[in-house]
Amino acid sequence: DVQGIYHRQVKLYTRVLISGSDAGEFALGSPAIDVAMTLMAMEDYFGYRIVARDPDVTRVTALRLMRGYAELATNSRLPETV
């Protein structure tokens, strides 16, 4: 069920965000659930745009935008992965 998958993914993001915040790795600027839901929405929408072959939304663009939001939401600099 699609809703179940969405909620499991949001819970995963939320757990990661809370763990990192609790460990002092970063400071959340908004509640973890809000950041998690926003990241999940971005992941879903950008994935859709990529599959739809939108020339303005490539994998590289989607990763850059999501990374930028995650850095803003956590007030931190994330390690380079791509």
Side-chain angles (χ1 to χ4, degrees):
D1 130 44
V2 175
Q3 285 187 14
I5 294 168
Y6 167 81
H7 291 292
R8 282 193 301 276
Q9 290 174 308
V10 168
K11 285 179 185 177
L12 175 61
Y13 272 124
T14 302
R15 285 194 308 267
V16 168
L17 290 162
I18 289 170
S19 294
S21 181
D22 288 350
E25 295 296 323
F26 50 78
L28 293 171
S30 299
I33 187 71
D34 293 355
V35 175
M37 289 176 74
T38 302
L39 286 168
M40 196 61 239
M42 293 175 80
E43 182 180 319
D44 282 350
Y45 185 73
F46 289 146
Y48 167 75
R49 297 306 321 154
I50 290 166
V51 169
R53 300 191 187 280
D54 182 332
D56 293 329
V57 183
T58 64
R59 180 179 179 273
V60 171
T61 299
L63 290 171
R64 177 179 55 78
L65 294 171
M66 287 188 68
R67 175 192 192 86
Y69 172 72
E71 288 180 340
L72 287 171
T74 60
N75 194 32
S76 66
R77 182 82 177 136
L78 298 174
E80 294 292 329
T81 57
V82 177

